[in-house]
Amino acid sequence: MELRPYQWEVIMPALEGKNIIIWLPTGSGKTRAAAYLAKRHLETVDGAKVVVLVNRVHLVTQHCEEFSSMLGRRWSITTLSGDMGPRAGFGHVARRHDLLICTAELLQKALTSLEEEEHVELNAFSLLVVDECHHTHKGTVYNVILSRYLELKFQRTRPLPQVLGLTASPGTGGASTLDGAIDHVLQLCANLDTWRIMSPQDYRSQLQEHSHQPCKQFDLCHRRTQEPFGDMLKELMDQIHDHLERPELRRDFGTQTYEQQVVELSRDAAEAGLQEQRVYALHLRRYNDALLIHDTVRAVDALATLQDFYDRERTTKTQVLHAERWLLALFEDHKNELAHLATRGPENPKLAMLEEILQKQFRSPDSPRGIIFTRTRQSAHSLLLWLQQQPGLQTVDIRPQLLIGAGNSSQSAQMIQMTQRDQQEVIQKFRTGTLNLLVATSVAEEGLDIPQCNVVVRYGLLTNEISMVQARGRARASQSVYSFVAAQGSRELKRELTNEALETLMERAVAAVQEMDQAKYQDRIQDLQRAALVKRAAQAARRESHQHKFLAEHVRLLCVNCTVPVGYGSDLRRVEGTHHVNVNPNFSIYYTVSHEPVVINRVFKDWRPGGVISCRNCGEGWGLQMIYKSVKLPVLKVRSLLLETPQGRVQSKKWSRVPFTVPDFDYVQHCAQSLADFSLD
């Protein structure tokens, strides 16, 4: 497979062994250029070993096809991703193959693993290809891996792998000025230790011939003139606020800022032991979610999510506070009127606009294929339901399906969980034409290569310029349509127009970096790298200090809902560095386990899921039971617990931020202790 002239132009420094970022539009052959470099690298470098990192599981298979067609059978290629179930260790696999394509998370786990079969050193590879490399910033897994590279570089460890970054959208990093955007691009180059960011100069016109840009259209609609369903939800929220007796709280219902306010209120109330206030905040968030769904799709979808929430509240809670009883009654008293308004209210104008677009595009005889991008998994589910039920679309040849992230089992019971294998099957059916319309979240924005895709709709999205560029790039066919659907004068429309300006700013920033004097550029890169390592070291020191703030045995664990003490920090252990389990045998008196196991359609290497675990006292969900090898262990969600420290109660967002250390789980020791306890009994 020969390269086009513009691909040769951008790849030349990499063929000489230099670290570069290839910046090319979506669909113009970045992966093919990377595959060619990998082939030449394997042919010319002694002991060469290549690793290709991706940030989405479905891209592992797609890249394997591209690299395999370029490399042929001379080199051994393999893939690793999180849904493979029992497998050989990462290090073992890497040592036995010439080229490995994997998700970045798996490489990071292998770099930190103490198991010989799993562990690998970064400099075991001679070429590191980073797909969608614009994600190499802040605390992302890409940047964690590349920070390790920079540490090795400044320790003068040799050899180091050559680094090749691939991106269609370096972005501006939130900057709105040219200087700020230049700083962002330079930081990206520093993080990837880039000699130069490459885009065609001599063969730019030829690139434009091969790079199909879809025709963009703004499909704008009027706002609803009347919103009886939404108005009633807001009236109920006003009543809840009156019970809260917190007049300083804003009532900008149906916004992201309001959601943030009630999330903070819930956490603060939990830490202060104000159980009823926490309950009000949790229910207000559900009403706000319903308003957001109502704005995006239909009132019946919004009501269904509220109904589902209250059904679960009734069936799972074993201890009901006065506030919960009042909130349940409030919904019960108004649900019939809400149902009446939901079925008889005015249609969402955005859905009417979407129907018009689909009618036009999918009545074409040219076998159209399209993707609708929406913000959340919930709105994707609701849109799919609408597509299946909308009378005006039943005579149109639309064969839709979801393409969403895996999510978690704590969400609405109505929402199907989509595993990584499910994603692969849907993509394959879309590729072959069995399906012709995907309703997708951001999981499908990047890298998905379907040459026949000719319709992309961004439906009421509020995102950045990178998401805009990436989603637009899914329209690969010639004469494609890229539609942005939003209400006139909406925040979403203003953001999309801003994104267009930021895309131009990004292009100017990259050009400015490319034109920098090479010596000045290298000095700037070195300074940024040193500063990044110092900052990371300071952050690590702060984390270490925070994790040793209290002795684990001095921190009590309380149920976040009923505040019953259920154990101590010293009862906790980490399984596989991720799952936090309570190993105290007496802990079982505090929780119940559901008969039905949690459905996770993935096969894990050493464990499988058991039932849902809930507080025996109040019914609050705490997590799930894990059957690890042969041992049953309760895995706890950090947000289901309050931590009572010597300095007061706190609620942590992540286990990595708790103020005490949690040692790793020792399977052999645990089994030996259990046997000892059994013999003593």
Side-chain angles (χ1 to χ4, degrees), residues 354-617:
L354 180 59
E355 180 176 352
E356 193 178 312
I357 295 163
L358 296 176
Q359 287 268 14
K360 181 180 178 182
Q361 297 300 329
F362 281 82
R363 287 197 186 279
S364 160
D366 302 328
S367 301
R369 237 170 278 183
I371 306 176
I372 301 170
F373 285 101
T374 185
R375 191 175 74 86
T376 65
R377 286 187 288 269
Q378 178 64 64
S379 61
H381 277 270
S382 298
L383 277 171
L384 179 65
L385 202 60
W386 172 79
L387 286 166
Q388 293 165 340
Q389 295 173 348
Q390 185 66 3
L393 294 175
Q394 301 313 302
T395 57
V396 185
D397 180 26
I398 292 178
R399 302 182 298 279
Q401 189 49 274
L402 295 177
L403 184 57
I404 58 177
N408 60 62
S409 310
S410 65
Q411 287 177 312
S412 164
Q414 298 173 326
M415 287 178 62
I416 306 157
Q417 303 307 313
M418 193 158 209
T419 67
Q420 293 159 353
R421 193 168 283 110
D422 294 335
Q423 291 174 4
Q424 295 282 16
E425 287 177 7
V426 166
I427 290 166
Q428 187 56 32
K429 286 179 180 177
F430 186 60
R431 203 181 289 279
T432 59
T434 307
L435 299 171
N436 64 1
L437 182 63
L438 300 183
V439 184
T441 54
S442 59
V443 73
E445 273 180 357
E446 297 186 340
L448 189 61
D449 183 13
I450 311 291
Q452 302 90 340
C453 185
N454 62 344
V455 181
V456 166
V457 180
R458 274 168 46 88
Y459 182 78
L461 285 177
L462 193 69
T463 61
N464 63 16
E465 74 281 4
I466 291 177
S467 288
M468 180 190 76
V469 170
Q470 291 289 346
R472 184 181 66 206
R474 295 319 106 216
R476 294 291 174 92
S478 60
Q479 298 181 317
S480 295
V481 171
Y482 166 55
S483 164
F484 183 80
V485 176
Q488 291 175 354
S490 63
R491 291 181 307 137
E492 291 83 1
L493 175 59
K494 290 170 187 169
R495 180 69 218 199
E496 185 75 0
L497 295 171
T498 300
N499 287 340
E500 291 185 347
L502 290 176
E503 185 182 7
T504 303
L505 187 65
M506 172 187 80
E507 291 165 358
R508 290 174 60 202
V510 172
V513 169
Q514 289 173 328
E515 291 164 9
M516 284 178 70
D517 172 75
Q518 191 64 25
K520 182 181 175 185
Y521 168 83
Q522 291 295 347
D523 287 345
R524 188 76 191 277
I525 293 298
Q526 293 265 348
D527 289 344
L528 287 168
Q529 288 176 340
R530 288 194 181 92
L533 287 176
V534 168
K535 183 179 179 181
R536 189 166 286 274
Q539 288 171 339
R542 281 199 299 273
R543 267 198 312 272
E544 183 76 11
S545 172
H546 181 71
Q547 286 172 351
H548 289 86
K549 191 171 182 180
F550 305 112
L551 292 172
E553 57 266 31
H554 293 168
V555 177
R556 279 214 300 184
L557 310 177
L558 316 178
C559 172
V560 71
N561 187 57
C562 65
T563 67
V564 165
V566 295
Y568 288 87
S570 52
D571 298 332
L572 300 175
R573 296 292 183 272
R574 287 188 314 168
V575 175
E576 297 180 350
T578 305
H579 313 288
H580 287 69
V581 300
N582 190 314
V583 296
N584 188 330
N586 297 324
F587 182 61
S588 60
I589 66 173
Y590 296 108
Y591 67 86
T592 59
V593 185
S594 67
H595 296 299
E596 294 296 318
V598 175
V599 178
I600 305 176
N601 294 325
R602 282 175 60 185
V603 181
F604 299 94
K605 186 179 177 186
D606 288 317
W607 67 277
R608 57 188 169 85
V612 173
I613 62 170
S614 305
C615 176
R616 191 179 293 274
N617 184 55

Side-chain angles (χ1 to χ4, degrees), residues 271-284:
E271 292 177 354
L274 303 171
Q275 290 171 267
E276 302 226 330
Q277 206 170 96
R278 174 180 170 272
V279 165
Y280 286 131
L282 291 174
H283 286 244
L284 282 168

